[in-house]
Amino acid sequence: MRSLRTGLSLAALVTCLVALLTAPAAHAADTPLRDLAAAKGKVIGTAVTGSKLTGTYGDIAGREFNALTPGNAMKWGSVEPTRGSFNWAEADQIVDFAEAHGQQVRGHTLVWHSQNPSWLTNGSWTSAELSQLMNDHIALEVGRYKGRLATWDVVNEPFNEDGTYRQTLWYDGLGADYIAQALTAARAADPSAKLYINDYNVEGVNAKSTALYNLVRSLKERGIPIDGVGLQAHLILGQVPSTLQQNIQRFADLGVDVAITELDIRMQLPSDSAKLTQQAADYKAVMNACLAVSRCVGVTVWGFTDSDSWIPGTFPGQGAATPYDENYAPKPAYYAIAESLGGGTTTPPPTGACTATYSVGNQWNTGFTGQVRIACSGAALSSWKVSWTFGAGQQLTQAWNASCTQSGATVTCSNASYNGTVPDGGSVTFGFNGSWSGSNPVPTVTLG
């Protein structure tokens, strides 16, 4: 820390406490994410590819996360590519790895319209046959891992965007009650596993999430086993739904758990510091929404490294969606997750990289209008806080674009919900009115 005083002008530096940098050192936080999450009673998980669970990939997967989801290994097309011929190798590998590392496993997924084996999708089945096939598949797969998996995504993506049921092999062949049938079969196969319905674009309050809400309410009323809903959260940079926490809460109020199951936040490539800073703020917003609701059990990212992400192959020109880059270096998003879970920032800002400048734009006999400009060069912020000490009894009377408090002579201001991000090379400002009597001198300032 250093102190300075100047009487040359009304411009002064104020304390700029960096919440998160866009270019932290390429090492993880001192406390693994899983330990931070466990301290808050939450899950922090990742989807994984079994064949990669060695070396650096395996080290990070084991160290940072307390839950694993097989990205593809438990889908029907993977485990029974030919009718009656099974391949459990990768699924078993992931479960074994999780047990060796004290992690829980989320089974994904039993009944879905996609990634089914061709023998199933191309078959001509009566309703009775299709019903039996589904029951048998659930009994076999859930039964194989009975007592070893914490949760199952039993039914995946049952709705269209407008809230109508998706036309699928299951809906067309069995009607809407295929969902209740699947849940009932899963409960019979493993009474201890938590059973979920999982879907995408249901993170905020909208037609699709309301259809899911109404379904869950109906299932509960009918006594059908349903323990939770999964909100996939494949999000776009800067587009975290404003109603996310409200939506989580309304499902929790039905008496079910909620999980963020497949979180990634994609951007148009190439990435840059401003995009990475926004992404960090978005990850933090999702984490905070979950942490605010007691029945939100946790967050799973859909792959923790950009080298293992599905985004570039599905959304050409987009990517950089996960908390680690292709070289396994933690990105600002990683530190945002850590900070949300109560961890500290591990890397200080470069000296002088972010500054805040105090100025008085207008002054009259009893009052004045001031402004603080926060600017970064060589670093970036996902949130900020500034403080200063008045030297002549000045008092803040109003502030805008910031949340400000005054205790004695000390004023502390932090960002509003919409302007915490300060990109490298960018700036934000906030203003205030104050009163003074006799003099309005430059504050004594510390820069940290």
Side-chain angles (χ1 to χ4, degrees):
M1 303 291 286
R2 62 180 185 271
S3 298
L4 56 89
R5 178 185 294 273
T6 176
L8 299 178
S9 71
L10 290 174
L13 293 175
V14 289
T15 303
C16 184
L17 302 176
V18 176
L20 183 69
L21 290 176
T22 59
H27 62 272
D30 293 336
T31 304
L33 298 180
R34 61 182 290 169
D35 293 347
L36 297 172
K40 292 185 175 292
K42 301 292 185 181
V43 167
I44 182 73
T46 183
V48 292
T49 301
S51 61
K52 297 183 179 181
L53 285 171
T54 59
T56 303
Y57 183 98
D59 290 344
I60 294 172
R63 181 186 69 238
E64 295 291 335
F65 302 98
N66 56 13
L68 300 182
T69 300
N72 291 296
M74 290 186 176
K75 293 170 181 174
W76 200 332
S78 297
V79 300
E80 193 181 6
T82 303
R83 189 174 186 184
S85 178
F86 298 93
N87 181 1
W88 302 104
E90 186 185 1
D92 287 351
Q93 179 185 19
I94 292 169
V95 174
D96 290 344
F97 181 97
E99 290 178 341
H101 290 81
Q103 298 165 306
Q104 61 176 253
V105 177
R106 181 180 199 91
H108 180 80
T109 180
L110 294 169
V111 180
W112 190 26
H113 67 270
S114 186
Q115 289 185 249
N116 289 313
S118 59
W119 65 262
L120 177 64
T121 56
N122 295 335
S124 297
W125 313 107
T126 66
S127 292
E129 289 170 335
L130 194 60
S131 177
Q132 191 65 50
L133 283 167
M134 185 175 74
N135 285 346
D136 290 348
H137 171 69
I138 292 171
L140 180 68
E141 183 158 7
V142 177
R144 179 179 182 85
Y145 299 106
K146 181 179 180 180
R148 300 178 70 189
L149 267 61
T151 55
W152 275 102
D153 290 326
V154 178
V155 175
N156 201 44
E157 301 173 2
F159 290 107
N160 295 313
E161 297 305 298
D162 62 0
T164 58
Y165 282 101
R166 187 191 291 268
Q167 305 292 303
T168 69
L169 172 71
W170 308 111
Y171 181 82
D172 294 344
L174 301 175
D177 237 23
Y178 82 89
I179 297 171
Q181 179 183 337
L183 290 162
T184 301
R187 174 67 85 235
D190 187 351
S192 66
K194 298 286 189 180
L195 309 181
Y196 278 67
I197 300 172
N198 190 52
D199 214 328
Y200 66 92
N201 287 352
V202 292
E203 295 76 32
V205 176
N206 56 36
K208 192 174 188 179
S209 65
T210 297
L212 179 58
Y213 175 89
N214 290 334
L215 170 63
V216 172
R217 181 175 59 186
S218 172
L219 292 169
K220 293 280 288 184
E221 290 171 350
R222 295 168 56 193
I224 303 299
I226 175 70
D227 300 304
V229 295
L231 314 181
Q232 292 185 13
H234 294 296
L235 302 177
I236 300 171
L237 189 71
Q239 297 185 26
V240 177
S242 61
T243 52
L244 175 59
Q245 182 180 326
Q246 173 191 345
N247 194 43
I248 294 171
Q249 186 66 61
R250 70 167 176 165
F251 280 105
D253 291 343
L254 287 177
V256 296
D257 293 337
V258 181
I260 307 296
T261 55
E262 305 181 20
L263 176 63
D264 50 30
I265 302 175
R266 64 186 184 269
M267 64 182 70
Q268 199 69 32
L269 296 174
S271 65
D272 57 33
S273 60
K275 293 176 184 177
L276 292 172
T277 301
Q278 180 62 56
Q279 184 185 57
D282 291 346
Y283 266 94
K284 189 173 184 181
V286 174
M287 294 297 303
N288 287 346
C290 181
L291 288 164
V293 180
S294 60
R295 290 203 71 152
C296 185
V297 298
V299 174
T300 289
V301 295
W302 203 246
F304 62 85
T305 170
D306 291 342
S307 65
D308 192 43
S309 173
W310 71 297
I311 294 297
T314 306
F315 300 94
Q318 299 183 57
T322 76
Y324 285 78
D325 70 16
E326 295 90 341
N327 299 313
Y328 302 115
K331 293 155 56 178
Y334 169 89
Y335 292 93
I337 295 170
E339 185 179 2
S340 181
L341 290 170
T345 305
T346 62
T347 307
T351 301
C354 292
T355 60
T357 305
Y358 176 111
S359 61
V360 173
N362 189 23
Q363 184 171 301
W364 56 99
N365 58 347
T366 60
F368 67 98
T369 297
Q371 176 180 282
V372 171
R373 178 178 182 267
I374 301 165
C376 290
S377 178
L381 306 176
S382 63
S383 60
W384 47 261
K385 183 184 292 183
V386 296
S387 62
W388 65 89
T389 300
F390 282 129
Q394 302 99 313
Q395 293 288 319
L396 246 65
T397 57
Q398 181 187 15
W400 50 93
N401 296 330
S403 176
C404 295
T405 59
Q406 182 168 353
S407 178
T410 301
V411 177
T412 302
C413 298
S414 56
N415 61 274
S417 62
Y418 51 83
N419 67 351
T421 299
V422 186
D424 187 0
S427 65
V428 298
T429 61
F430 69 90
F432 52 89
N433 288 332
S435 63
W436 66 287
S437 177
S439 64
N440 188 13
V442 172
T444 298
V445 187
T446 58
L447 172 64

